[in-house]
Amino acid sequence: MEDDAPVIYGLEFQARALTAQTAETDAIRFLVGTQSLKFDNQIHIIDFDDENNIINKNVLLHQAGEIWNIGASPADKAVLTTCYNKTCDSRVVSCASVWRMPCDWETGSSHESPDDSAHNPQTLELLCHLNDSAHGNASSVLWEPMGDGKRVISLVDNHALLWDLQESSTQATVSSTVTLEGKGQLKFTVGKWSPHHNCSQLATANDTAIRGWDLRTMSQIYCIENAHGQLVRDLDFNPNRQYYLASCGDDCKVRFWDVRNVQEPVKSLEEHSHWVWSVRYNHSHDQLVLTASSDSRLILSNMVSISSEPFGQLGDDDEELSDGEDAPPSDKVKEPLTDSVVSTYEEHEDSVYAAEWSTADPWLFASLSYDGRLVINRVPRALKYRILL
């Protein structure tokens, strides 16, 4: 049972921003934002044809500046956010904006010669800026998970601003803010909007600490003081277990937390040899966890002991016995499955800054390294069938 070979796509510019197109659940589609100081930056729309194992691309211009973060609307396939640097009065400022793809972008390159859209790319349409003059530099924008595309949070220095998008996302107003207070120049490095609790909770990281916030009261609800030995780089919530959170950082570790008891991590992984930039739970099978690092490697782990199915999927024979039935012999009692590294992917030659699962195919994921190499891989078939059967 051979696994499919990875599919590699090369951008001509450096890149570190990657997202799956969240609202697209039929086509396997990823968006990549470039980082070029000399040329106009671009959004590459990557469509993966899994039947033929090939990539189709479309390119859109993002003339505002080099892209550090990209996010896709959960409700409208054509709407996205970017955080980007631009030069203003000889200083660099970080901005955040909401954009719409041109309505006819899909009629582009896949039907013409493959390079046409790269030579004559269309330009993104600006819907609105998420810039609040009272606050500083935007580092990332988070869409409300499973929302109607009307609420986003931007992380700006030591503030988290909750925005309401109105008039088809052409107007944005700040409805509430969270401010990180303390000594020194505190700054949010990353955040994740929880899909649980009616989307009323936010987790943020600053330096080595992770904090949880209640968005209804804009107050702190938990704090993990020294979650990592060095800077925390990324966070992700378990989609099936509401109190479980994964984190990764510059101490080369990936940690899993139960936010009801933050004294100790539930589990720690130390498989990478350099900073870990990205951690992602699979959207359906939460035992599958992807981590990406500047050791140039992407690692897929099977964290089954802390997943929602620690004994694997319960089949028909595992249902409760009706009266009068004999209990199964003791050797049929299921043991919890053990955690393991499933695969280490080494197709990258530079720091891997981002990894994302497809929203259309739960067994497929993409990773992006700084040299502009996007690699699409699949969960090994043997593991896929072990999870399903």
Side-chain angles (χ1 to χ4, degrees):
M1 189 162 53
E2 274 192 36
D3 287 308
D4 295 302
V7 179
I8 299 175
Y9 171 73
L11 290 83
E12 57 190 296
F13 299 135
Q14 293 168 325
R16 62 197 301 157
L18 167 71
T19 183
Q21 192 180 32
T22 319
E24 177 58 80
T25 53
D26 295 329
I28 298 166
R29 187 173 294 145
F30 296 95
L31 309 177
V32 184
T34 65
Q35 286 200 322
S36 169
L37 290 169
K38 293 181 181 172
F39 303 99
D40 282 341
N41 281 283
Q42 301 169 340
I43 304 272
H44 286 238
I45 305 167
I46 307 298
D47 273 274
F48 181 63
D49 174 351
D50 60 338
E51 284 184 18
N52 300 307
N53 229 34
I54 55 170
I55 279 173
N56 294 311
K57 67 155 189 202
N58 284 275
V59 179
L60 300 175
L61 278 183
H62 181 281
Q63 291 163 318
E66 51 172 355
I67 302 166
W68 287 80
N69 173 267
I70 186 168
S73 163
D76 187 336
K77 290 190 276 195
V79 174
L80 61 126
T81 51
T82 59
C83 294
Y84 53 93
N85 282 358
K86 68 175 186 181
T87 310
C88 184
D89 300 331
S90 73
R91 65 190 185 96
V92 175
V93 291
S94 301
C95 309
S97 299
V98 186
W99 309 87
R100 178 177 289 284
M101 298 177 190
C103 53
D104 56 344
W105 70 265
E106 284 189 89
T107 59
S109 66
S110 46
H111 304 291
E112 302 162 17
S113 77
D115 294 320
D116 274 10
S117 82
H119 292 313
N120 305 301
Q122 295 175 281
T123 303
L124 287 166
E125 175 197 344
L126 175 68
L127 293 177
C128 64
H129 292 298
L130 299 175
N131 294 339
D132 187 80
S133 53
H135 302 102
N137 291 319
S139 61
S140 62
V141 175
L142 317 169
W143 287 90
E144 180 179 21
M146 302 170 298
D148 55 6
K150 300 259 174 69
R151 296 208 303 167
V152 294
I153 290 172
S154 64
L155 300 181
V156 184
D157 290 340
N158 63 329
H159 306 281
L161 311 179
L162 178 59
W163 299 82
D164 287 327
L165 301 178
Q166 293 122 357
E167 307 297 327
S168 304
S169 302
T170 56
Q171 287 180 4
T173 52
V174 176
S175 61
S176 46
T177 64
V178 158
T179 303
L180 188 57
E181 290 170 351
K183 293 177 185 168
Q185 283 192 306
L186 297 176
K187 189 176 174 184
F188 287 126
T189 46
V190 71
K192 198 75 183 185
W193 198 328
S194 170
H196 308 294
H197 314 288
N198 289 331
C199 299
S200 64
Q201 292 186 12
L202 167 74
T204 61
N206 64 289
D207 200 19
T208 61
I210 298 171
R211 297 168 199 276
W213 307 88
D214 187 325
L215 296 173
R216 296 163 298 190
T217 58
M218 287 307 199
S219 55
Q220 185 174 299
I221 46 179
Y222 58 83
C223 178
I224 310 171
E225 279 294 353
N226 289 300
H228 286 265
Q230 296 176 46
L231 186 72
V232 179
R233 290 278 174 193
D234 200 16
L235 304 168
D236 200 23
F237 280 98
N238 184 316
N240 300 331
R241 300 191 74 181
Q242 59 182 347
Y243 298 107
Y244 275 61
L245 173 73
S247 63
C248 62
D250 285 3
D251 57 0
C252 312
K253 293 185 173 72
V254 179
R255 289 192 160 151
F256 299 88
W257 305 90
D258 181 336
V259 300
R260 296 166 298 184
N261 175 17
V262 296
Q263 303 308 312
E264 290 287 328
V266 180
K267 200 93 180 171
S268 263
L269 290 179
E270 204 168 345
E271 301 294 339
H272 287 287
S273 57
H274 205 265
W275 304 348
V276 188
W277 284 83
S278 180
V279 58
R280 287 288 178 271
Y281 277 105
N282 184 291
H283 307 306
S284 309
H285 308 285
D286 56 283
Q287 64 265 52
L288 299 177
V289 178
L290 278 177
T291 52
S293 162
S294 34
D295 63 6
S296 305
R297 295 185 307 156
L298 179 74
I299 293 179
L300 174 63
S301 301
N302 188 16
M303 302 304 297
V304 69
S305 71
I306 52 171
S307 74
S308 54
E309 293 181 344
F311 294 90
Q313 284 201 321
L314 296 178
D316 295 337
D317 354 333
D318 304 311
E319 302 297 329
E320 286 185 31
L321 298 170
S322 59
D323 292 338
E325 278 192 84
D326 290 333
S330 57
D331 61 346
K332 279 193 75 176
V333 173
K334 282 204 169 186
E335 290 291 319
L337 303 168
T338 52
D339 299 338
S340 60
V341 169
V342 176
S343 244
T344 300
Y345 300 92
E346 301 193 348
E347 289 87 19
H348 292 284
E349 294 172 10
D350 203 341
S351 298
V352 189
Y353 282 133
E356 294 287 349
W357 292 96
S358 164
T359 46
D361 180 344
W363 308 104
L364 188 135
F365 52 91
S367 53
L368 177 68
S369 53
Y370 189 55
D371 54 5
R373 181 178 296 183
L374 178 86
V375 181
I376 291 179
N377 269 297
R378 294 180 179 87
V379 173
R381 282 206 183 105
L383 175 61
K384 172 181 172 179
Y385 293 134
R386 198 158 76 235
I387 290 172
L388 289 176
L389 302 176

